Amino acid sequence: DVKVTQSSRYLVKRTGEKVFLECVQDMDHENMFWYRQDPGLGLRLIYFSYDVKMKEKGDIPEGYSVSREKKERFSLILESASTNQTSMYLCASSFGEPQHFGDGTRLSIL
Amino acid sequence: DAKTTQPNSMESNEEEPVHLPCNHSTISGTDYIHWYRQLPSQGPEYVIHGLTSNVNNRMASLAIAEDRKSSTLILHRATLRDAAVYYCILRGPLYGSEKLVFGKGTKLTVNP
């Protein structure tokens, strides 16, 4: 079975900190994705990558950046965390269909 | 992206069939219909997808209307573990447009 592992289930950080969320997949998938999920808004795509060192903006990239130095790892970076970035963050990977998701990181920015 | 419309919530009894509807009247000829579900405290998981013909797998069946403006996800015998939010999503076939656009989905409650 495909496994998508997110480094933390829960994370608490302070406003202004630089925050790294890590995601690793074990199936050699080309495509990787970062979403955030908020009540009433559903899942929204932040960034995705279809190859090493390649990235594409999703629907809500502001305040975020990403890094994909190796095929199996896709990092989401909050350059200067703000309280409105408190959310559930979900990573996914795919090669064609379907997308496989991790269990999410619940991030709180205080 | 073409839009989908789903009921906010539905309720079912254990071991009974469940029919989850989805309307997508602006679907294009090349859009695939995907269903994912999200169990509490977990990430979404793939259920099924199709283009024109009805599809079956071990989890569910997908019935697609002849005009493709609507579809129905069928769980043949609901279990408590099927309680989740179900998302109906349209996605084009082109490489590079891999992203999934999630709506608000249907929250399915399964009663024992």
Side-chain angles (χ1 to χ4, degrees), chain B residues 72-93:
Chain B
T72 302
L73 179 71
I74 302 165
L75 307 179
H76 296 286
R77 286 184 68 197
T79 69
L80 296 177
R81 197 194 173 276
D82 292 320
V85 178
Y86 287 79
Y87 297 97
C88 169
I89 301 164
L90 303 182
R91 196 174 77 73

mmCIF file with all atom_site columns, all heavy atoms in Angstrom, chain B residues 72-93:
data_model
loop_
_atom_site.group_PDB
_atom_site.id
_atom_site.type_symbol
_atom_site.label_atom_id
_atom_site.label_alt_id
_atom_site.label_comp_id
_atom_site.label_asym_id
_atom_site.label_entity_id
_atom_site.label_seq_id
_atom_site.pdbx_PDB_ins_code
_atom_site.Cartn_x
_atom_site.Cartn_y
_atom_site.Cartn_z
_atom_site.occupancy
_atom_site.B_iso_or_equiv
_atom_site.pdbx_formal_charge
_atom_site.auth_seq_id
_atom_site.auth_comp_id
_atom_site.auth_asym_id
_atom_site.auth_atom_id
_atom_site.pdbx_PDB_model_num
ATOM 1   N N   . THR B 1 72 ? -24.185 8.981  -9.217  1.00 0.00 ? 72 THR B N   1
ATOM 2   C CA  . THR B 1 72 ? -24.564 8.491  -7.893  1.00 0.00 ? 72 THR B CA  1
ATOM 3   C C   . THR B 1 72 ? -23.530 7.490  -7.410  1.00 0.00 ? 72 THR B C   1
ATOM 4   O O   . THR B 1 72 ? -23.182 6.545  -8.136  1.00 0.00 ? 72 THR B O   1
ATOM 5   C CB  . THR B 1 72 ? -25.935 7.795  -7.934  1.00 0.00 ? 72 THR B CB  1
ATOM 6   O OG1 . THR B 1 72 ? -26.912 8.717  -8.439  1.00 0.00 ? 72 THR B OG1 1
ATOM 7   C CG2 . THR B 1 72 ? -26.356 7.329  -6.545  1.00 0.00 ? 72 THR B CG2 1
ATOM 8   N N   . LEU B 1 73 ? -23.027 7.728  -6.224  1.00 0.00 ? 73 LEU B N   1
ATOM 9   C CA  . LEU B 1 73 ? -22.143 6.754  -5.580  1.00 0.00 ? 73 LEU B CA  1
ATOM 10  C C   . LEU B 1 73 ? -23.022 5.815  -4.765  1.00 0.00 ? 73 LEU B C   1
ATOM 11  O O   . LEU B 1 73 ? -23.857 6.261  -3.976  1.00 0.00 ? 73 LEU B O   1
ATOM 12  C CB  . LEU B 1 73 ? -21.139 7.461  -4.664  1.00 0.00 ? 73 LEU B CB  1
ATOM 13  C CG  . LEU B 1 73 ? -20.192 6.532  -3.927  1.00 0.00 ? 73 LEU B CG  1
ATOM 14  C CD1 . LEU B 1 73 ? -19.182 5.930  -4.908  1.00 0.00 ? 73 LEU B CD1 1
ATOM 15  C CD2 . LEU B 1 73 ? -19.460 7.262  -2.807  1.00 0.00 ? 73 LEU B CD2 1
ATOM 16  N N   . ILE B 1 74 ? -22.833 4.523  -4.961  1.00 0.00 ? 74 ILE B N   1
ATOM 17  C CA  . ILE B 1 74 ? -23.658 3.533  -4.282  1.00 0.00 ? 74 ILE B CA  1
ATOM 18  C C   . ILE B 1 74 ? -22.792 2.694  -3.358  1.00 0.00 ? 74 ILE B C   1
ATOM 19  O O   . ILE B 1 74 ? -21.837 2.053  -3.802  1.00 0.00 ? 74 ILE B O   1
ATOM 20  C CB  . ILE B 1 74 ? -24.367 2.617  -5.298  1.00 0.00 ? 74 ILE B CB  1
ATOM 21  C CG1 . ILE B 1 74 ? -25.229 3.463  -6.250  1.00 0.00 ? 74 ILE B CG1 1
ATOM 22  C CG2 . ILE B 1 74 ? -25.233 1.580  -4.574  1.00 0.00 ? 74 ILE B CG2 1
ATOM 23  C CD1 . ILE B 1 74 ? -25.669 2.734  -7.484  1.00 0.00 ? 74 ILE B CD1 1
ATOM 24  N N   . LEU B 1 75 ? -23.131 2.741  -2.066  1.00 0.00 ? 75 LEU B N   1
ATOM 25  C CA  . LEU B 1 75 ? -22.532 1.823  -1.096  1.00 0.00 ? 75 LEU B CA  1
ATOM 26  C C   . LEU B 1 75 ? -23.565 0.728  -0.889  1.00 0.00 ? 75 LEU B C   1
ATOM 27  O O   . LEU B 1 75 ? -24.683 0.994  -0.448  1.00 0.00 ? 75 LEU B O   1
ATOM 28  C CB  . LEU B 1 75 ? -22.243 2.546  0.218   1.00 0.00 ? 75 LEU B CB  1
ATOM 29  C CG  . LEU B 1 75 ? -21.420 3.829  0.127   1.00 0.00 ? 75 LEU B CG  1
ATOM 30  C CD1 . LEU B 1 75 ? -21.245 4.447  1.511   1.00 0.00 ? 75 LEU B CD1 1
ATOM 31  C CD2 . LEU B 1 75 ? -20.079 3.568  -0.518  1.00 0.00 ? 75 LEU B CD2 1
ATOM 32  N N   . HIS B 1 76 ? -23.206 -0.494 -1.199  1.00 0.00 ? 76 HIS B N   1
ATOM 33  C CA  . HIS B 1 76 ? -24.222 -1.554 -1.266  1.00 0.00 ? 76 HIS B CA  1
ATOM 34  C C   . HIS B 1 76 ? -24.751 -1.962 0.095   1.00 0.00 ? 76 HIS B C   1
ATOM 35  O O   . HIS B 1 76 ? -25.930 -2.271 0.242   1.00 0.00 ? 76 HIS B O   1
ATOM 36  C CB  . HIS B 1 76 ? -23.665 -2.738 -2.034  1.00 0.00 ? 76 HIS B CB  1
ATOM 37  C CG  . HIS B 1 76 ? -23.372 -2.400 -3.461  1.00 0.00 ? 76 HIS B CG  1
ATOM 38  N ND1 . HIS B 1 76 ? -24.372 -2.245 -4.399  1.00 0.00 ? 76 HIS B ND1 1
ATOM 39  C CD2 . HIS B 1 76 ? -22.209 -2.133 -4.103  1.00 0.00 ? 76 HIS B CD2 1
ATOM 40  C CE1 . HIS B 1 76 ? -23.835 -1.912 -5.562  1.00 0.00 ? 76 HIS B CE1 1
ATOM 41  N NE2 . HIS B 1 76 ? -22.521 -1.838 -5.414  1.00 0.00 ? 76 HIS B NE2 1
ATOM 42  N N   . ARG B 1 77 ? -23.882 -1.976 1.094   1.00 0.00 ? 77 ARG B N   1
ATOM 43  C CA  . ARG B 1 77 ? -24.308 -2.277 2.474   1.00 0.00 ? 77 ARG B CA  1
ATOM 44  C C   . ARG B 1 77 ? -23.507 -1.405 3.408   1.00 0.00 ? 77 ARG B C   1
ATOM 45  O O   . ARG B 1 77 ? -22.337 -1.674 3.663   1.00 0.00 ? 77 ARG B O   1
ATOM 46  C CB  . ARG B 1 77 ? -24.072 -3.743 2.804   1.00 0.00 ? 77 ARG B CB  1
ATOM 47  C CG  . ARG B 1 77 ? -25.037 -4.706 2.153   1.00 0.00 ? 77 ARG B CG  1
ATOM 48  C CD  . ARG B 1 77 ? -24.780 -6.121 2.630   1.00 0.00 ? 77 ARG B CD  1
ATOM 49  N NE  . ARG B 1 77 ? -25.116 -6.281 4.045   1.00 0.00 ? 77 ARG B NE  1
ATOM 50  C CZ  . ARG B 1 77 ? -24.689 -7.296 4.789   1.00 0.00 ? 77 ARG B CZ  1
ATOM 51  N NH1 . ARG B 1 77 ? -23.906 -8.211 4.282   1.00 0.00 ? 77 ARG B NH1 1
ATOM 52  N NH2 . ARG B 1 77 ? -25.038 -7.382 6.059   1.00 0.00 ? 77 ARG B NH2 1
ATOM 53  N N   . ALA B 1 78 ? -24.116 -0.355 3.886   1.00 0.00 ? 78 ALA B N   1
ATOM 54  C CA  . ALA B 1 78 ? -23.389 0.604  4.725   1.00 0.00 ? 78 ALA B CA  1
ATOM 55  C C   . ALA B 1 78 ? -22.961 -0.045 6.037   1.00 0.00 ? 78 ALA B C   1
ATOM 56  O O   . ALA B 1 78 ? -23.708 -0.811 6.649   1.00 0.00 ? 78 ALA B O   1
ATOM 57  C CB  . ALA B 1 78 ? -24.256 1.820  5.005   1.00 0.00 ? 78 ALA B CB  1
ATOM 58  N N   . THR B 1 79 ? -21.752 0.280  6.451   1.00 0.00 ? 79 THR B N   1
ATOM 59  C CA  . THR B 1 79 ? -21.278 -0.113 7.772   1.00 0.00 ? 79 THR B CA  1
ATOM 60  C C   . THR B 1 79 ? -20.955 1.155  8.559   1.00 0.00 ? 79 THR B C   1
ATOM 61  O O   . THR B 1 79 ? -20.871 2.257  7.991   1.00 0.00 ? 79 THR B O   1
ATOM 62  C CB  . THR B 1 79 ? -20.013 -0.981 7.678   1.00 0.00 ? 79 THR B CB  1
ATOM 63  O OG1 . THR B 1 79 ? -18.926 -0.154 7.216   1.00 0.00 ? 79 THR B OG1 1
ATOM 64  C CG2 . THR B 1 79 ? -20.204 -2.150 6.734   1.00 0.00 ? 79 THR B CG2 1
ATOM 65  N N   . LEU B 1 80 ? -20.743 0.994  9.853   1.00 0.00 ? 80 LEU B N   1
ATOM 66  C CA  . LEU B 1 80 ? -20.430 2.158  10.681  1.00 0.00 ? 80 LEU B CA  1
ATOM 67  C C   . LEU B 1 80 ? -19.150 2.830  10.197  1.00 0.00 ? 80 LEU B C   1
ATOM 68  O O   . LEU B 1 80 ? -18.969 4.041  10.330  1.00 0.00 ? 80 LEU B O   1
ATOM 69  C CB  . LEU B 1 80 ? -20.302 1.751  12.145  1.00 0.00 ? 80 LEU B CB  1
ATOM 70  C CG  . LEU B 1 80 ? -21.589 1.214  12.787  1.00 0.00 ? 80 LEU B CG  1
ATOM 71  C CD1 . LEU B 1 80 ? -21.325 0.786  14.219  1.00 0.00 ? 80 LEU B CD1 1
ATOM 72  C CD2 . LEU B 1 80 ? -22.703 2.242  12.733  1.00 0.00 ? 80 LEU B CD2 1
ATOM 73  N N   . ARG B 1 81 ? -18.253 2.023  9.620   1.00 0.00 ? 81 ARG B N   1
ATOM 74  C CA  . ARG B 1 81 ? -16.986 2.553  9.153   1.00 0.00 ? 81 ARG B CA  1
ATOM 75  C C   . ARG B 1 81 ? -17.141 3.427  7.898   1.00 0.00 ? 81 ARG B C   1
ATOM 76  O O   . ARG B 1 81 ? -16.228 4.146  7.511   1.00 0.00 ? 81 ARG B O   1
ATOM 77  C CB  . ARG B 1 81 ? -16.010 1.417  8.865   1.00 0.00 ? 81 ARG B CB  1
ATOM 78  C CG  . ARG B 1 81 ? -14.570 1.888  8.781   1.00 0.00 ? 81 ARG B CG  1
ATOM 79  C CD  . ARG B 1 81 ? -13.641 0.845  8.174   1.00 0.00 ? 81 ARG B CD  1
ATOM 80  N NE  . ARG B 1 81 ? -12.325 1.380  7.949   1.00 0.00 ? 81 ARG B NE  1
ATOM 81  C CZ  . ARG B 1 81 ? -11.981 2.082  6.875   1.00 0.00 ? 81 ARG B CZ  1
ATOM 82  N NH1 . ARG B 1 81 ? -12.859 2.313  5.925   1.00 0.00 ? 81 ARG B NH1 1
ATOM 83  N NH2 . ARG B 1 81 ? -10.761 2.547  6.751   1.00 0.00 ? 81 ARG B NH2 1
ATOM 84  N N   . ASP B 1 82 ? -18.327 3.369  7.277   1.00 0.00 ? 82 ASP B N   1
ATOM 85  C CA  . ASP B 1 82 ? -18.567 4.202  6.094   1.00 0.00 ? 82 ASP B CA  1
ATOM 86  C C   . ASP B 1 82 ? -19.000 5.618  6.454   1.00 0.00 ? 82 ASP B C   1
ATOM 87  O O   . ASP B 1 82 ? -19.189 6.454  5.565   1.00 0.00 ? 82 ASP B O   1
ATOM 88  C CB  . ASP B 1 82 ? -19.637 3.565  5.209   1.00 0.00 ? 82 ASP B CB  1
ATOM 89  C CG  . ASP B 1 82 ? -19.161 2.274  4.558   1.00 0.00 ? 82 ASP B CG  1
ATOM 90  O OD1 . ASP B 1 82 ? -17.983 2.236  4.134   1.00 0.00 ? 82 ASP B OD1 1
ATOM 91  O OD2 . ASP B 1 82 ? -19.954 1.323  4.471   1.00 0.00 ? 82 ASP B OD2 1
ATOM 92  N N   . ALA B 1 83 ? -19.183 5.899  7.729   1.00 0.00 ? 83 ALA B N   1
ATOM 93  C CA  . ALA B 1 83 ? -19.535 7.260  8.157   1.00 0.00 ? 83 ALA B CA  1
ATOM 94  C C   . ALA B 1 83 ? -18.359 8.187  7.850   1.00 0.00 ? 83 ALA B C   1
ATOM 95  O O   . ALA B 1 83 ? -17.254 8.012  8.377   1.00 0.00 ? 83 ALA B O   1
ATOM 96  C CB  . ALA B 1 83 ? -19.850 7.290  9.640   1.00 0.00 ? 83 ALA B CB  1
ATOM 97  N N   . ALA B 1 84 ? -18.607 9.151  6.962   1.00 0.00 ? 84 ALA B N   1
ATOM 98  C CA  . ALA B 1 84 ? -17.520 9.998  6.470   1.00 0.00 ? 84 ALA B CA  1
ATOM 99  C C   . ALA B 1 84 ? -18.126 11.145 5.673   1.00 0.00 ? 84 ALA B C   1
ATOM 100 O O   . ALA B 1 84 ? -19.336 11.184 5.433   1.00 0.00 ? 84 ALA B O   1
ATOM 101 C CB  . ALA B 1 84 ? -16.587 9.178  5.565   1.00 0.00 ? 84 ALA B CB  1
ATOM 102 N N   . VAL B 1 85 ? -17.270 12.058 5.238   1.00 0.00 ? 85 VAL B N   1
ATOM 103 C CA  . VAL B 1 85 ? -17.681 13.080 4.272   1.00 0.00 ? 85 VAL B CA  1
ATOM 104 C C   . VAL B 1 85 ? -17.274 12.570 2.892   1.00 0.00 ? 85 VAL B C   1
ATOM 105 O O   . VAL B 1 85 ? -16.118 12.196 2.682   1.00 0.00 ? 85 VAL B O   1
ATOM 106 C CB  . VAL B 1 85 ? -17.023 14.435 4.560   1.00 0.00 ? 85 VAL B CB  1
ATOM 107 C CG1 . VAL B 1 85 ? -17.445 15.458 3.504   1.00 0.00 ? 85 VAL B CG1 1
ATOM 108 C CG2 . VAL B 1 85 ? -17.398 14.920 5.955   1.00 0.00 ? 85 VAL B CG2 1
ATOM 109 N N   . TYR B 1 86 ? -18.227 12.548 1.972   1.00 0.00 ? 86 TYR B N   1
ATOM 110 C CA  . TYR B 1 86 ? -17.998 12.047 0.616   1.00 0.00 ? 86 TYR B CA  1
ATOM 111 C C   . TYR B 1 86 ? -17.936 13.216 -0.357  1.00 0.00 ? 86 TYR B C   1
ATOM 112 O O   . TYR B 1 86 ? -18.847 14.041 -0.402  1.00 0.00 ? 86 TYR B O   1
ATOM 113 C CB  . TYR B 1 86 ? -19.115 11.072 0.225   1.00 0.00 ? 86 TYR B CB  1
ATOM 114 C CG  . TYR B 1 86 ? -18.985 9.752  0.931   1.00 0.00 ? 86 TYR B CG  1
ATOM 115 C CD1 . TYR B 1 86 ? -19.399 9.609  2.256   1.00 0.00 ? 86 TYR B CD1 1
ATOM 116 C CD2 . TYR B 1 86 ? -18.421 8.651  0.295   1.00 0.00 ? 86 TYR B CD2 1
ATOM 117 C CE1 . TYR B 1 86 ? -19.249 8.412  2.935   1.00 0.00 ? 86 TYR B CE1 1
ATOM 118 C CE2 . TYR B 1 86 ? -18.276 7.444  0.959   1.00 0.00 ? 86 TYR B CE2 1
ATOM 119 C CZ  . TYR B 1 86 ? -18.692 7.335  2.277   1.00 0.00 ? 86 TYR B CZ  1
ATOM 120 O OH  . TYR B 1 86 ? -18.535 6.141  2.940   1.00 0.00 ? 86 TYR B OH  1
ATOM 121 N N   . TYR B 1 87 ? -16.875 13.239 -1.149  1.00 0.00 ? 87 TYR B N   1
ATOM 122 C CA  . TYR B 1 87 ? -16.653 14.332 -2.087  1.00 0.00 ? 87 TYR B CA  1
ATOM 123 C C   . TYR B 1 87 ? -16.771 13.820 -3.525  1.00 0.00 ? 87 TYR B C   1
ATOM 124 O O   . TYR B 1 87 ? -16.136 12.825 -3.891  1.00 0.00 ? 87 TYR B O   1
ATOM 125 C CB  . TYR B 1 87 ? -15.251 14.916 -1.921  1.00 0.00 ? 87 TYR B CB  1
ATOM 126 C CG  . TYR B 1 87 ? -14.979 15.541 -0.585  1.00 0.00 ? 87 TYR B CG  1
ATOM 127 C CD1 . TYR B 1 87 ? -14.327 14.827 0.421   1.00 0.00 ? 87 TYR B CD1 1
ATOM 128 C CD2 . TYR B 1 87 ? -15.351 16.853 -0.320  1.00 0.00 ? 87 TYR B CD2 1
ATOM 129 C CE1 . TYR B 1 87 ? -14.063 15.407 1.650   1.00 0.00 ? 87 TYR B CE1 1
ATOM 130 C CE2 . TYR B 1 87 ? -15.080 17.442 0.907   1.00 0.00 ? 87 TYR B CE2 1
ATOM 131 C CZ  . TYR B 1 87 ? -14.439 16.704 1.884   1.00 0.00 ? 87 TYR B CZ  1
ATOM 132 O OH  . TYR B 1 87 ? -14.182 17.280 3.100   1.00 0.00 ? 87 TYR B OH  1
ATOM 133 N N   . CYS B 1 88 ? -17.551 14.528 -4.309  1.00 0.00 ? 88 CYS B N   1
ATOM 134 C CA  . CYS B 1 88 ? -17.672 14.266 -5.742  1.00 0.00 ? 88 CYS B CA  1
ATOM 135 C C   . CYS B 1 88 ? -16.855 15.338 -6.459  1.00 0.00 ? 88 CYS B C   1
ATOM 136 O O   . CYS B 1 88 ? -17.072 16.533 -6.218  1.00 0.00 ? 88 CYS B O   1
ATOM 137 C CB  . CYS B 1 88 ? -19.148 14.342 -6.125  1.00 0.00 ? 88 CYS B CB  1
ATOM 138 S SG  . CYS B 1 88 ? -19.502 14.351 -7.890  1.00 0.00 ? 88 CYS B SG  1
ATOM 139 N N   . ILE B 1 89 ? -15.929 14.943 -7.301  1.00 0.00 ? 89 ILE B N   1
ATOM 140 C CA  . ILE B 1 89 ? -14.967 15.883 -7.884  1.00 0.00 ? 89 ILE B CA  1
ATOM 141 C C   . ILE B 1 89 ? -14.839 15.605 -9.370  1.00 0.00 ? 89 ILE B C   1
ATOM 142 O O   . ILE B 1 89 ? -14.784 14.448 -9.794  1.00 0.00 ? 89 ILE B O   1
ATOM 143 C CB  . ILE B 1 89 ? -13.587 15.696 -7.213  1.00 0.00 ? 89 ILE B CB  1
ATOM 144 C CG1 . ILE B 1 89 ? -13.669 15.936 -5.695  1.00 0.00 ? 89 ILE B CG1 1
ATOM 145 C CG2 . ILE B 1 89 ? -12.546 16.613 -7.847  1.00 0.00 ? 89 ILE B CG2 1
ATOM 146 C CD1 . ILE B 1 89 ? -12.476 15.402 -4.936  1.00 0.00 ? 89 ILE B CD1 1
ATOM 147 N N   . LEU B 1 90 ? -14.783 16.675 -10.153 1.00 0.00 ? 90 LEU B N   1
ATOM 148 C CA  . LEU B 1 90 ? -14.524 16.524 -11.587 1.00 0.00 ? 90 LEU B CA  1
ATOM 149 C C   . LEU B 1 90 ? -13.065 16.867 -11.872 1.00 0.00 ? 90 LEU B C   1
ATOM 150 O O   . LEU B 1 90 ? -12.526 17.802 -11.289 1.00 0.00 ? 90 LEU B O   1
ATOM 151 C CB  . LEU B 1 90 ? -15.420 17.463 -12.392 1.00 0.00 ? 90 LEU B CB  1
ATOM 152 C CG  . LEU B 1 90 ? -16.926 17.303 -12.182 1.00 0.00 ? 90 LEU B CG  1
ATOM 153 C CD1 . LEU B 1 90 ? -17.678 18.273 -13.091 1.00 0.00 ? 90 LEU B CD1 1
ATOM 154 C CD2 . LEU B 1 90 ? -17.364 15.877 -12.447 1.00 0.00 ? 90 LEU B CD2 1
ATOM 155 N N   . ARG B 1 91 ? -12.479 16.120 -12.754 1.00 0.00 ? 91 ARG B N   1
ATOM 156 C CA  . ARG B 1 91 ? -11.093 16.428 -13.103 1.00 0.00 ? 91 ARG B CA  1
ATOM 157 C C   . ARG B 1 91 ? -10.839 16.104 -14.569 1.00 0.00 ? 91 ARG B C   1
ATOM 158 O O   . ARG B 1 91 ? -11.243 15.074 -15.060 1.00 0.00 ? 91 ARG B O   1
ATOM 159 C CB  . ARG B 1 91 ? -10.131 15.636 -12.235 1.00 0.00 ? 91 ARG B CB  1
ATOM 160 C CG  . ARG B 1 91 ? -8.727  16.191 -12.274 1.00 0.00 ? 91 ARG B CG  1
ATOM 161 C CD  . ARG B 1 91 ? -7.824  15.477 -11.307 1.00 0.00 ? 91 ARG B CD  1
ATOM 162 N NE  . ARG B 1 91 ? -7.412  14.178 -11.808 1.00 0.00 ? 91 ARG B NE  1
ATOM 163 C CZ  . ARG B 1 91 ? -6.530  13.989 -12.799 1.00 0.00 ? 91 ARG B CZ  1
ATOM 164 N NH1 . ARG B 1 91 ? -5.993  15.022 -13.424 1.00 0.00 ? 91 ARG B NH1 1
ATOM 165 N NH2 . ARG B 1 91 ? -6.197  12.778 -13.174 1.00 0.00 ? 91 ARG B NH2 1
ATOM 166 N N   . GLY B 1 92 ? -10.139 17.010 -15.240 1.00 0.00 ? 92 GLY B N   1
ATOM 167 C CA  . GLY B 1 92 ? -9.794  16.793 -16.630 1.00 0.00 ? 92 GLY B CA  1
ATOM 168 C C   . GLY B 1 92 ? -8.677  15.784 -16.770 1.00 0.00 ? 92 GLY B C   1
ATOM 169 O O   . GLY B 1 92 ? -7.982  15.468 -15.806 1.00 0.00 ? 92 GLY B O   1
ATOM 170 N N   . PRO B 1 93 ? -8.465  15.297 -17.958 1.00 0.00 ? 93 PRO B N   1
ATOM 171 C CA  . PRO B 1 93 ? -7.509  14.203 -18.176 1.00 0.00 ? 93 PRO B CA  1
ATOM 172 C C   . PRO B 1 93 ? -6.090  14.638 -18.481 1.00 0.00 ? 93 PRO B C   1
ATOM 173 O O   . PRO B 1 93 ? -5.206  13.813 -18.576 1.00 0.00 ? 93 PRO B O   1
ATOM 174 C CB  . PRO B 1 93 ? -8.088  13.499 -19.407 1.00 0.00 ? 93 PRO B CB  1
ATOM 175 C CG  . PRO B 1 93 ? -8.660  14.627 -20.207 1.00 0.00 ? 93 PRO B CG  1
ATOM 176 C CD  . PRO B 1 93 ? -9.187  15.619 -19.190 1.00 0.00 ? 93 PRO B CD  1
#
